[in-house]
Amino acid sequence: MFSSFPFRTAKKILFGTGTIDQVGTELKAYGASNAAIITDTTIAAAGWAAAVQSALDAAGMKSKVWDGSQAEPSVEVGEEAIDFVRSGGFDSIVGLGGGSAIDIAKGAAVALTNEGHIMQWIKEGFSKPLAPMALCPTTAGTGSEVSDTAVFATPELKVGLVSSMLYPDVAIVDPALTVSMPGPVTANTGIDALCHAIEGYQSIQANPLTDALAIESMRLVNAYLRRAYCKGSDMEAREGMALASLLAGIVMGNADTTIGHACGYAYVYPATNLHYPHGHAIAITFPYVMEYNALAQFEKHAAIAEVLGEEVEGLSVRDAAYLAPVAFTKLMQDLRLPLSLEEVGVTEDMIPMIARNVLKSPNHCRRNPREVTEEGMIELFSHAFEGTLAWEM
Ligand SMILES: [Fe+2]
């Protein structure tokens, strides 16, 4: 017997090389005539903002570019974008970039139709539907183009603006936009996509639809991330990773994440002074999260091990499950990612504090398939500190 479940995503998804050319006709269909393009200087310098402007122009739309997006955007940076869009006579938004630009674009689209500011919306919500919005990722990882969340940083912590109104009118996933990503960025964003798929698969909010998409996303990452990392111009690999990221984003938009993301947040800024890219931060502790959760979900972790390329035939489901973190670690080795917390500047005396930080993310803990205890997290981070799986010891 199947339980009932909801399933939400963007109103429309356009996937494929060259689909960015349709951004103008898509927004025009919503009656838009003047778009603000929210992006960053790197994407603008690569020529993608100009390409979007050409597509908007071809559809008879006016546009202007705001390129002030930064990694892990602060509330202040988001407010700068809001000042820009409110003063420019715009009626629609294009988000063009990685997760940061896309999250800022969501805030800008709220600002065009609602009074107030980001922190106010986070605390009190907002009521009016957003201005027409197209979200166009230039990395294959965050999945923010199909999520209902926009994340901003304050000096104390990261805060999320969450609303079903943040799903865009159209998500345009054009793999050609990801070709210029250097190898380390490909690795950082691609491993983040894989963590979204696996955490969504582990989540107690998972359902048969998200499970099917998560497994396919993992298969695509296993087939294409190494290729995209080794040769950025490999278009089949870029398309495979763009699709993997999209599927993982849809999974995350419904099943959300488990303690994988909470463990990654627990040891980097603002919890400590350590700065590390999002995907890397989560990946370093992720094998230990998989090992922790495998005990609660042998069948699911055995399926993860198999789809990530481990030989599971003839093994017990328990032995197969514990190969899932082994497969993940092999991918990290191939992508030249650090494999222990010690390598990235964490010291042993920080472990109890970092372990307690995970418990400060009650929603991640609630969605986790295995109960999250302080003792359990200390054990998890002790293994992550050494970079040694208990299964291997
Ligand atoms: Fe993530």
Side-chain angles (χ1 to χ4, degrees), residues 319-366:
D319 286 353
Y322 282 118
L323 286 179
V326 174
F328 190 91
T329 304
K330 287 177 184 169
L331 178 59
M332 291 176 69
Q333 286 171 327
D334 289 345
L335 299 176
R336 305 295 183 261
L337 292 172
L339 297 174
S340 75
L341 288 177
E342 192 172 19
E343 283 178 67
V344 297
V346 171
T347 52
E348 211 162 358
D349 60 302
M350 292 181 185
I351 289 175
M353 177 272 292
I354 293 170
R356 283 193 297 274
N357 280 344
V358 178
L359 300 169
K360 292 178 187 169
S361 297
N363 289 329
H364 289 101
C365 295
R366 178 184 57 77

mmCIF file of all heavy atoms in Angstrom, residues 319-366:
data_model
loop_
_atom_site.group_PDB
_atom_site.id
_atom_site.type_symbol
_atom_site.label_atom_id
_atom_site.label_comp_id
_atom_site.label_asym_id
_atom_site.label_seq_id
_atom_site.Cartn_x
_atom_site.Cartn_y
_atom_site.Cartn_z
ATOM 1 N N ASP A 319 26.134 -6.048 3.905
ATOM 2 C CA ASP A 319 27.472 -5.812 3.341
ATOM 3 C C ASP A 319 27.396 -4.888 2.124
ATOM 4 O O ASP A 319 28.260 -4.028 1.928
ATOM 5 C CB ASP A 319 28.129 -7.140 2.945
ATOM 6 C CG ASP A 319 28.597 -7.915 4.167
ATOM 7 O OD1 ASP A 319 28.526 -7.353 5.280
ATOM 8 O OD2 ASP A 319 29.012 -9.076 4.015
ATOM 9 N N ALA A 320 26.334 -5.050 1.306
ATOM 10 C CA ALA A 320 26.164 -4.176 0.143
ATOM 11 C C ALA A 320 25.923 -2.735 0.589
ATOM 12 O O ALA A 320 26.472 -1.788 0.003
ATOM 13 C CB ALA A 320 24.999 -4.673 -0.716
ATOM 14 N N ALA A 321 25.124 -2.548 1.637
ATOM 15 C CA ALA A 321 24.807 -1.190 2.119
ATOM 16 C C ALA A 321 26.074 -0.446 2.524
ATOM 17 O O ALA A 321 26.242 0.740 2.212
ATOM 18 C CB ALA A 321 23.836 -1.263 3.296
ATOM 19 N N TYR A 322 26.989 -1.153 3.216
ATOM 20 C CA TYR A 322 28.201 -0.466 3.683
ATOM 21 C C TYR A 322 29.212 -0.198 2.555
ATOM 22 O O TYR A 322 30.244 0.440 2.786
ATOM 23 C CB TYR A 322 28.828 -1.243 4.843
ATOM 24 C CG TYR A 322 28.079 -1.000 6.149
ATOM 25 C CD1 TYR A 322 27.448 -2.043 6.823
ATOM 26 C CD2 TYR A 322 27.978 0.283 6.669
ATOM 27 C CE1 TYR A 322 26.742 -1.815 8.007
ATOM 28 C CE2 TYR A 322 27.278 0.526 7.845
ATOM 29 C CZ TYR A 322 26.660 -0.521 8.501
ATOM 30 O OH TYR A 322 25.948 -0.273 9.654
ATOM 31 N N LEU A 323 28.895 -0.670 1.338
ATOM 32 C CA LEU A 323 29.728 -0.284 0.191
ATOM 33 C C LEU A 323 29.330 1.080 -0.374
ATOM 34 O O LEU A 323 30.065 1.662 -1.173
ATOM 35 C CB LEU A 323 29.631 -1.341 -0.920
ATOM 36 C CG LEU A 323 30.373 -2.646 -0.661
ATOM 37 C CD1 LEU A 323 30.179 -3.603 -1.833
ATOM 38 C CD2 LEU A 323 31.867 -2.391 -0.433
ATOM 39 N N ALA A 324 28.155 1.612 0.038
ATOM 40 C CA ALA A 324 27.719 2.917 -0.480
ATOM 41 C C ALA A 324 28.720 4.022 -0.121
ATOM 42 O O ALA A 324 29.168 4.772 -1.008
ATOM 43 C CB ALA A 324 26.313 3.247 0.010
ATOM 44 N N PRO A 325 29.130 4.157 1.164
ATOM 45 C CA PRO A 325 30.139 5.184 1.460
ATOM 46 C C PRO A 325 31.491 4.908 0.812
ATOM 47 O O PRO A 325 32.239 5.839 0.507
ATOM 48 C CB PRO A 325 30.242 5.162 2.999
ATOM 49 C CG PRO A 325 29.584 3.915 3.444
ATOM 50 C CD PRO A 325 28.590 3.529 2.391
ATOM 51 N N VAL A 326 31.806 3.638 0.570
ATOM 52 C CA VAL A 326 33.066 3.303 -0.112
ATOM 53 C C VAL A 326 33.030 3.843 -1.546
ATOM 54 O O VAL A 326 33.994 4.453 -2.030
ATOM 55 C CB VAL A 326 33.289 1.770 -0.104
ATOM 56 C CG1 VAL A 326 34.507 1.404 -0.942
ATOM 57 C CG2 VAL A 326 33.431 1.256 1.331
ATOM 58 N N ALA A 327 31.895 3.644 -2.220
ATOM 59 C CA ALA A 327 31.748 4.143 -3.592
ATOM 60 C C ALA A 327 31.859 5.660 -3.632
ATOM 61 O O ALA A 327 32.495 6.237 -4.523
ATOM 62 C CB ALA A 327 30.394 3.705 -4.160
ATOM 63 N N PHE A 328 31.241 6.337 -2.654
ATOM 64 C CA PHE A 328 31.288 7.803 -2.604
ATOM 65 C C PHE A 328 32.739 8.271 -2.406
ATOM 66 O O PHE A 328 33.189 9.231 -3.042
ATOM 67 C CB PHE A 328 30.388 8.307 -1.466
ATOM 68 C CG PHE A 328 30.182 9.784 -1.466
ATOM 69 C CD1 PHE A 328 29.106 10.350 -2.141
ATOM 70 C CD2 PHE A 328 31.055 10.639 -0.789
ATOM 71 C CE1 PHE A 328 28.904 11.725 -2.153
ATOM 72 C CE2 PHE A 328 30.873 12.009 -0.802
ATOM 73 C CZ PHE A 328 29.786 12.558 -1.483
ATOM 74 N N THR A 329 33.471 7.586 -1.518
ATOM 75 C CA THR A 329 34.864 7.966 -1.246
ATOM 76 C C THR A 329 35.736 7.795 -2.498
ATOM 77 O O THR A 329 36.618 8.620 -2.772
ATOM 78 C CB THR A 329 35.424 7.120 -0.080
ATOM 79 O OG1 THR A 329 34.574 7.302 1.049
ATOM 80 C CG2 THR A 329 36.833 7.545 0.286
ATOM 81 N N LYS A 330 35.466 6.735 -3.263
ATOM 82 C CA LYS A 330 36.233 6.538 -4.508
ATOM 83 C C LYS A 330 36.018 7.713 -5.470
ATOM 84 O O LYS A 330 36.950 8.183 -6.126
ATOM 85 C CB LYS A 330 35.804 5.232 -5.192
ATOM 86 C CG LYS A 330 36.297 3.977 -4.499
ATOM 87 C CD LYS A 330 35.749 2.730 -5.203
ATOM 88 C CE LYS A 330 36.151 1.471 -4.450
ATOM 89 N NZ LYS A 330 35.418 0.281 -4.969
ATOM 90 N N LEU A 331 34.775 8.208 -5.551
ATOM 91 C CA LEU A 331 34.492 9.356 -6.415
ATOM 92 C C LEU A 331 35.254 10.586 -5.919
ATOM 93 O O LEU A 331 35.842 11.332 -6.707
ATOM 94 C CB LEU A 331 32.977 9.632 -6.445
ATOM 95 C CG LEU A 331 32.537 10.842 -7.273
ATOM 96 C CD1 LEU A 331 32.960 10.710 -8.726
ATOM 97 C CD2 LEU A 331 31.015 11.028 -7.175
ATOM 98 N N MET A 332 35.268 10.790 -4.590
ATOM 99 C CA MET A 332 36.016 11.929 -4.043
ATOM 100 C C MET A 332 37.500 11.828 -4.369
ATOM 101 O O MET A 332 38.142 12.829 -4.703
ATOM 102 C CB MET A 332 35.811 12.016 -2.527
ATOM 103 C CG MET A 332 34.403 12.413 -2.140
ATOM 104 S SD MET A 332 34.178 12.379 -0.362
ATOM 105 C CE MET A 332 35.195 13.744 0.161
ATOM 106 N N GLN A 333 38.041 10.618 -4.278
ATOM 107 C CA GLN A 333 39.466 10.431 -4.618
ATOM 108 C C GLN A 333 39.712 10.792 -6.079
ATOM 109 O O GLN A 333 40.668 11.491 -6.404
ATOM 110 C CB GLN A 333 39.872 8.968 -4.364
ATOM 111 C CG GLN A 333 40.016 8.643 -2.891
ATOM 112 C CD GLN A 333 40.201 7.152 -2.646
ATOM 113 O OE1 GLN A 333 39.657 6.322 -3.376
ATOM 114 N NE2 GLN A 333 40.937 6.815 -1.606
ATOM 115 N N ASP A 334 38.823 10.343 -6.955
ATOM 116 C CA ASP A 334 38.986 10.617 -8.391
ATOM 117 C C ASP A 334 38.893 12.115 -8.686
ATOM 118 O O ASP A 334 39.529 12.610 -9.614
ATOM 119 C CB ASP A 334 37.926 9.862 -9.201
ATOM 120 C CG ASP A 334 38.195 8.362 -9.222
ATOM 121 O OD1 ASP A 334 39.319 7.957 -8.873
ATOM 122 O OD2 ASP A 334 37.263 7.608 -9.570
ATOM 123 N N LEU A 335 38.081 12.838 -7.899
ATOM 124 C CA LEU A 335 37.911 14.283 -8.115
ATOM 125 C C LEU A 335 38.941 15.094 -7.329
ATOM 126 O O LEU A 335 38.880 16.328 -7.303
ATOM 127 C CB LEU A 335 36.494 14.717 -7.691
ATOM 128 C CG LEU A 335 35.342 14.052 -8.453
ATOM 129 C CD1 LEU A 335 33.998 14.492 -7.868
ATOM 130 C CD2 LEU A 335 35.397 14.371 -9.942
ATOM 131 N N ARG A 336 39.869 14.393 -6.675
ATOM 132 C CA ARG A 336 40.952 15.040 -5.911
ATOM 133 C C ARG A 336 40.406 15.914 -4.789
ATOM 134 O O ARG A 336 40.936 16.999 -4.509
ATOM 135 C CB ARG A 336 41.858 15.873 -6.828
ATOM 136 C CG ARG A 336 42.450 15.101 -7.993
ATOM 137 C CD ARG A 336 43.416 14.006 -7.523
ATOM 138 N NE ARG A 336 44.029 13.314 -8.656
ATOM 139 C CZ ARG A 336 43.632 12.131 -9.145
ATOM 140 N NH1 ARG A 336 42.593 11.497 -8.601
ATOM 141 N NH2 ARG A 336 44.272 11.559 -10.142
ATOM 142 N N LEU A 337 39.333 15.444 -4.158
ATOM 143 C CA LEU A 337 38.769 16.179 -3.021
ATOM 144 C C LEU A 337 39.435 15.712 -1.732
ATOM 145 O O LEU A 337 39.825 14.545 -1.620
ATOM 146 C CB LEU A 337 37.256 15.922 -2.924
ATOM 147 C CG LEU A 337 36.414 16.504 -4.055
ATOM 148 C CD1 LEU A 337 34.972 16.018 -3.963
ATOM 149 C CD2 LEU A 337 36.456 18.020 -4.024
ATOM 150 N N PRO A 338 39.595 16.597 -0.743
ATOM 151 C CA PRO A 338 40.164 16.163 0.529
ATOM 152 C C PRO A 338 39.255 15.144 1.199
ATOM 153 O O PRO A 338 38.041 15.180 1.034
ATOM 154 C CB PRO A 338 40.240 17.452 1.362
ATOM 155 C CG PRO A 338 39.529 18.495 0.590
ATOM 156 C CD PRO A 338 39.223 18.001 -0.764
ATOM 157 N N LEU A 339 39.875 14.228 1.952
ATOM 158 C CA LEU A 339 39.112 13.084 2.471
ATOM 159 C C LEU A 339 38.950 13.091 3.983
ATOM 160 O O LEU A 339 38.341 12.191 4.544
ATOM 161 C CB LEU A 339 39.786 11.781 2.043
ATOM 162 C CG LEU A 339 39.851 11.540 0.526
ATOM 163 C CD1 LEU A 339 40.667 10.298 0.217
ATOM 164 C CD2 LEU A 339 38.460 11.417 -0.072
ATOM 165 N N SER A 340 39.506 14.092 4.662
ATOM 166 C CA SER A 340 39.337 14.128 6.120
ATOM 167 C C SER A 340 39.200 15.567 6.591
ATOM 168 O O SER A 340 39.660 16.499 5.935
ATOM 169 C CB SER A 340 40.538 13.478 6.819
ATOM 170 O OG SER A 340 41.654 14.351 6.763
ATOM 171 N N LEU A 341 38.562 15.732 7.751
ATOM 172 C CA LEU A 341 38.421 17.075 8.332
ATOM 173 C C LEU A 341 39.774 17.628 8.747
ATOM 174 O O LEU A 341 40.002 18.838 8.715
ATOM 175 C CB LEU A 341 37.469 17.029 9.535
ATOM 176 C CG LEU A 341 35.992 16.822 9.214
ATOM 177 C CD1 LEU A 341 35.182 16.722 10.512
ATOM 178 C CD2 LEU A 341 35.455 17.953 8.349
ATOM 179 N N GLU A 342 40.682 16.743 9.144
ATOM 180 C CA GLU A 342 42.011 17.188 9.561
ATOM 181 C C GLU A 342 42.709 17.912 8.403
ATOM 182 O O GLU A 342 43.382 18.925 8.609
ATOM 183 C CB GLU A 342 42.847 15.995 10.029
ATOM 184 C CG GLU A 342 44.119 16.405 10.746
ATOM 185 C CD GLU A 342 44.840 15.225 11.370
ATOM 186 O OE1 GLU A 342 44.576 14.083 10.968
ATOM 187 O OE2 GLU A 342 45.674 15.472 12.264
ATOM 188 N N GLU A 343 42.502 17.425 7.177
ATOM 189 C CA GLU A 343 43.136 18.042 6.000
ATOM 190 C C GLU A 343 42.655 19.459 5.744
ATOM 191 O O GLU A 343 43.336 20.237 5.082
ATOM 192 C CB GLU A 343 42.822 17.222 4.725
ATOM 193 C CG GLU A 343 43.597 15.965 4.548
ATOM 194 C CD GLU A 343 43.139 15.258 3.267
ATOM 195 O OE1 GLU A 343 43.357 15.780 2.172
ATOM 196 O OE2 GLU A 343 42.546 14.168 3.384
ATOM 197 N N VAL A 344 41.449 19.803 6.222
ATOM 198 C CA VAL A 344 40.887 21.118 5.878
ATOM 199 C C VAL A 344 40.915 22.086 7.060
ATOM 200 O O VAL A 344 40.258 23.125 7.033
ATOM 201 C CB VAL A 344 39.447 20.999 5.312
ATOM 202 C CG1 VAL A 344 39.466 20.222 4.015
ATOM 203 C CG2 VAL A 344 38.482 20.385 6.310
ATOM 204 N N GLY A 345 41.685 21.743 8.116
ATOM 205 C CA GLY A 345 41.904 22.721 9.175
ATOM 206 C C GLY A 345 41.093 22.533 10.433
ATOM 207 O O GLY A 345 41.222 23.319 11.382
ATOM 208 N N VAL A 346 40.254 21.497 10.479
ATOM 209 C CA VAL A 346 39.516 21.222 11.727
ATOM 210 C C VAL A 346 40.500 20.610 12.725
ATOM 211 O O VAL A 346 41.363 19.812 12.343
ATOM 212 C CB VAL A 346 38.339 20.249 11.454
ATOM 213 C CG1 VAL A 346 37.694 19.785 12.756
ATOM 214 C CG2 VAL A 346 37.303 20.920 10.557
ATOM 215 N N THR A 347 40.392 21.010 14.003
ATOM 216 C CA THR A 347 41.233 20.390 15.024
ATOM 217 C C THR A 347 40.366 19.499 15.916
ATOM 218 O O THR A 347 39.151 19.696 16.009
ATOM 219 C CB THR A 347 41.946 21.451 15.884
ATOM 220 O OG1 THR A 347 40.963 22.371 16.385
ATOM 221 C CG2 THR A 347 42.967 22.218 15.059
ATOM 222 N N GLU A 348 41.012 18.528 16.552
ATOM 223 C CA GLU A 348 40.257 17.497 17.278
ATOM 224 C C GLU A 348 39.400 18.096 18.387
ATOM 225 O O GLU A 348 38.292 17.614 18.661
ATOM 226 C CB GLU A 348 41.243 16.459 17.847
ATOM 227 C CG GLU A 348 40.645 15.093 17.939
ATOM 228 C CD GLU A 348 41.681 13.987 18.085
ATOM 229 O OE1 GLU A 348 42.900 14.295 18.083
ATOM 230 O OE2 GLU A 348 41.257 12.835 18.200
ATOM 231 N N ASP A 349 39.898 19.177 19.015
ATOM 232 C CA ASP A 349 39.142 19.777 20.120
ATOM 233 C C ASP A 349 37.845 20.449 19.661
ATOM 234 O O ASP A 349 36.986 20.753 20.470
ATOM 235 C CB ASP A 349 40.025 20.793 20.874
ATOM 236 C CG ASP A 349 40.488 21.912 19.955
ATOM 237 O OD1 ASP A 349 41.140 21.595 18.943
ATOM 238 O OD2 ASP A 349 40.180 23.083 20.219
ATOM 239 N N MET A 350 37.703 20.672 18.339
ATOM 240 C CA MET A 350 36.464 21.286 17.824
ATOM 241 C C MET A 350 35.317 20.278 17.713
ATOM 242 O O MET A 350 34.163 20.673 17.541
ATOM 243 C CB MET A 350 36.688 21.861 16.408
ATOM 244 C CG MET A 350 37.605 23.044 16.292
ATOM 245 S SD MET A 350 37.633 23.503 14.512
ATOM 246 C CE MET A 350 38.834 24.797 14.507
ATOM 247 N N ILE A 351 35.637 18.983 17.760
ATOM 248 C CA ILE A 351 34.628 17.972 17.407
ATOM 249 C C ILE A 351 33.363 18.054 18.266
ATOM 250 O O ILE A 351 32.247 18.046 17.720
ATOM 251 C CB ILE A 351 35.257 16.550 17.417
ATOM 252 C CG1 ILE A 351 36.202 16.422 16.212
ATOM 253 C CG2 ILE A 351 34.175 15.461 17.353
ATOM 254 C CD1 ILE A 351 36.988 15.132 16.162
ATOM 255 N N PRO A 352 33.448 18.175 19.603
ATOM 256 C CA PRO A 352 32.196 18.240 20.384
ATOM 257 C C PRO A 352 31.324 19.435 19.988
ATOM 258 O O PRO A 352 30.098 19.302 19.876
ATOM 259 C CB PRO A 352 32.691 18.361 21.835
ATOM 260 C CG PRO A 352 34.058 17.769 21.809
ATOM 261 C CD PRO A 352 34.634 18.107 20.483
ATOM 262 N N MET A 353 31.950 20.584 19.731
ATOM 263 C CA MET A 353 31.193 21.777 19.329
ATOM 264 C C MET A 353 30.537 21.557 17.956
ATOM 265 O O MET A 353 29.355 21.878 17.760
ATOM 266 C CB MET A 353 32.149 22.974 19.298
ATOM 267 C CG MET A 353 31.574 24.303 18.842
ATOM 268 S SD MET A 353 31.651 24.541 17.053
ATOM 269 C CE MET A 353 33.423 24.692 16.797
ATOM 270 N N ILE A 354 31.296 20.989 17.025
ATOM 271 C CA ILE A 354 30.756 20.734 15.679
ATOM 272 C C ILE A 354 29.598 19.733 15.768
ATOM 273 O O ILE A 354 28.552 19.906 15.118
ATOM 274 C CB ILE A 354 31.873 20.199 14.751
ATOM 275 C CG1 ILE A 354 32.914 21.294 14.498
ATOM 276 C CG2 ILE A 354 31.299 19.709 13.435
ATOM 277 C CD1 ILE A 354 34.176 20.788 13.802
ATOM 278 N N ALA A 355 29.767 18.715 16.597
ATOM 279 C CA ALA A 355 28.707 17.696 16.754
ATOM 280 C C ALA A 355 27.422 18.342 17.275
ATOM 281 O O ALA A 355 26.323 18.042 16.794
ATOM 282 C CB ALA A 355 29.184 16.604 17.707
ATOM 283 N N ARG A 356 27.558 19.245 18.239
ATOM 284 C CA ARG A 356 26.357 19.918 18.791
ATOM 285 C C ARG A 356 25.713 20.817 17.742
ATOM 286 O O ARG A 356 24.500 20.997 17.743
ATOM 287 C CB ARG A 356 26.729 20.734 20.042
ATOM 288 C CG ARG A 356 26.932 19.872 21.279
ATOM 289 C CD ARG A 356 26.992 20.708 22.554
ATOM 290 N NE ARG A 356 28.126 21.628 22.564
ATOM 291 C CZ ARG A 356 29.356 21.291 22.981
ATOM 292 N NH1 ARG A 356 29.604 20.073 23.426
ATOM 293 N NH2 ARG A 356 30.335 22.175 22.962
ATOM 294 N N ASN A 357 26.516 21.396 16.836
ATOM 295 C CA ASN A 357 25.952 22.266 15.790
ATOM 296 C C ASN A 357 24.944 21.530 14.904
ATOM 297 O O ASN A 357 23.994 22.129 14.409
ATOM 298 C CB ASN A 357 27.073 22.844 14.909
ATOM 299 C CG ASN A 357 27.762 24.021 15.562
ATOM 300 O OD1 ASN A 357 27.235 24.596 16.512
ATOM 301 N ND2 ASN A 357 28.929 24.373 15.063
ATOM 302 N N VAL A 358 25.179 20.238 14.677
ATOM 303 C CA VAL A 358 24.238 19.471 13.834
ATOM 304 C C VAL A 358 22.851 19.476 14.478
ATOM 305 O O VAL A 358 21.829 19.620 13.801
ATOM 306 C CB VAL A 358 24.739 18.026 13.624
ATOM 307 C CG1 VAL A 358 23.726 17.228 12.801
ATOM 308 C CG2 VAL A 358 26.097 18.031 12.934
ATOM 309 N N LEU A 359 22.828 19.350 15.803
ATOM 310 C CA LEU A 359 21.545 19.299 16.518
ATOM 311 C C LEU A 359 20.822 20.642 16.487
ATOM 312 O O LEU A 359 19.634 20.723 16.806
ATOM 313 C CB LEU A 359 21.766 18.852 17.973
ATOM 314 C CG LEU A 359 22.402 17.460 18.089
ATOM 315 C CD1 LEU A 359 22.847 17.203 19.520
ATOM 316 C CD2 LEU A 359 21.436 16.381 17.635
ATOM 317 N N LYS A 360 21.545 21.709 16.079
ATOM 318 C CA LYS A 360 20.898 23.022 15.940
ATOM 319 C C LYS A 360 20.165 23.150 14.606
ATOM 320 O O LYS A 360 19.645 24.209 14.276
ATOM 321 C CB LYS A 360 21.948 24.136 16.070
ATOM 322 C CG LYS A 360 22.526 24.257 17.469
ATOM 323 C CD LYS A 360 23.595 25.352 17.507
ATOM 324 C CE LYS A 360 24.305 25.365 18.844
ATOM 325 N NZ LYS A 360 25.502 26.235 18.812
ATOM 326 N N SER A 361 20.188 22.111 13.791
ATOM 327 C CA SER A 361 19.429 22.078 12.526
ATOM 328 C C SER A 361 18.282 21.081 12.694
ATOM 329 O O SER A 361 18.337 19.960 12.177
ATOM 330 C CB SER A 361 20.322 21.640 11.368
ATOM 331 O OG SER A 361 21.361 22.540 11.156
ATOM 332 N N PRO A 362 17.252 21.456 13.452
ATOM 333 C CA PRO A 362 16.224 20.457 13.812
ATOM 334 C C PRO A 362 15.500 19.862 12.615
ATOM 335 O O PRO A 362 15.107 18.691 12.646
ATOM 336 C CB PRO A 362 15.254 21.255 14.698
ATOM 337 C CG PRO A 362 15.528 22.696 14.410
ATOM 338 C CD PRO A 362 16.968 22.781 14.008
ATOM 339 N N ASN A 363 15.344 20.625 11.532
ATOM 340 C CA ASN A 363 14.617 20.079 10.379
ATOM 341 C C ASN A 363 15.432 19.015 9.650
ATOM 342 O O ASN A 363 14.899 17.998 9.212
ATOM 343 C CB ASN A 363 14.207 21.204 9.422
ATOM 344 C CG ASN A 363 13.102 22.066 10.023
ATOM 345 O OD1 ASN A 363 12.284 21.569 10.797
ATOM 346 N ND2 ASN A 363 13.100 23.348 9.699
ATOM 347 N N HIS A 364 16.754 19.263 9.511
ATOM 348 C CA HIS A 364 17.598 18.228 8.912
ATOM 349 C C HIS A 364 17.557 16.958 9.772
ATOM 350 O O HIS A 364 17.473 15.850 9.245
ATOM 351 C CB HIS A 364 19.051 18.714 8.801
ATOM 352 C CG HIS A 364 19.263 19.773 7.761
ATOM 353 N ND1 HIS A 364 19.381 21.107 8.072
ATOM 354 C CD2 HIS A 364 19.372 19.698 6.416
ATOM 355 C CE1 HIS A 364 19.564 21.802 6.963
ATOM 356 N NE2 HIS A 364 19.553 20.979 5.948
ATOM 357 N N CYS A 365 17.622 17.131 11.089
ATOM 358 C CA CYS A 365 17.604 15.974 12.006
ATOM 359 C C CYS A 365 16.258 15.249 11.922
ATOM 360 O O CYS A 365 16.215 14.014 11.913
ATOM 361 C CB CYS A 365 17.866 16.423 13.440
ATOM 362 S SG CYS A 365 19.528 17.101 13.676
ATOM 363 N N ARG A 366 15.178 16.005 11.843
ATOM 364 C CA ARG A 366 13.836 15.403 11.799
ATOM 365 C C ARG A 366 13.650 14.555 10.539
ATOM 366 O O ARG A 366 13.017 13.503 10.564
ATOM 367 C CB ARG A 366 12.778 16.516 11.838
ATOM 368 C CG ARG A 366 11.336 16.034 11.761
ATOM 369 C CD ARG A 366 10.343 17.187 11.709
ATOM 370 N NE ARG A 366 10.576 18.104 10.600
ATOM 371 C CZ ARG A 366 10.250 17.869 9.329
ATOM 372 N NH1 ARG A 366 9.680 16.719 8.998
ATOM 373 N NH2 ARG A 366 10.490 18.759 8.386
#
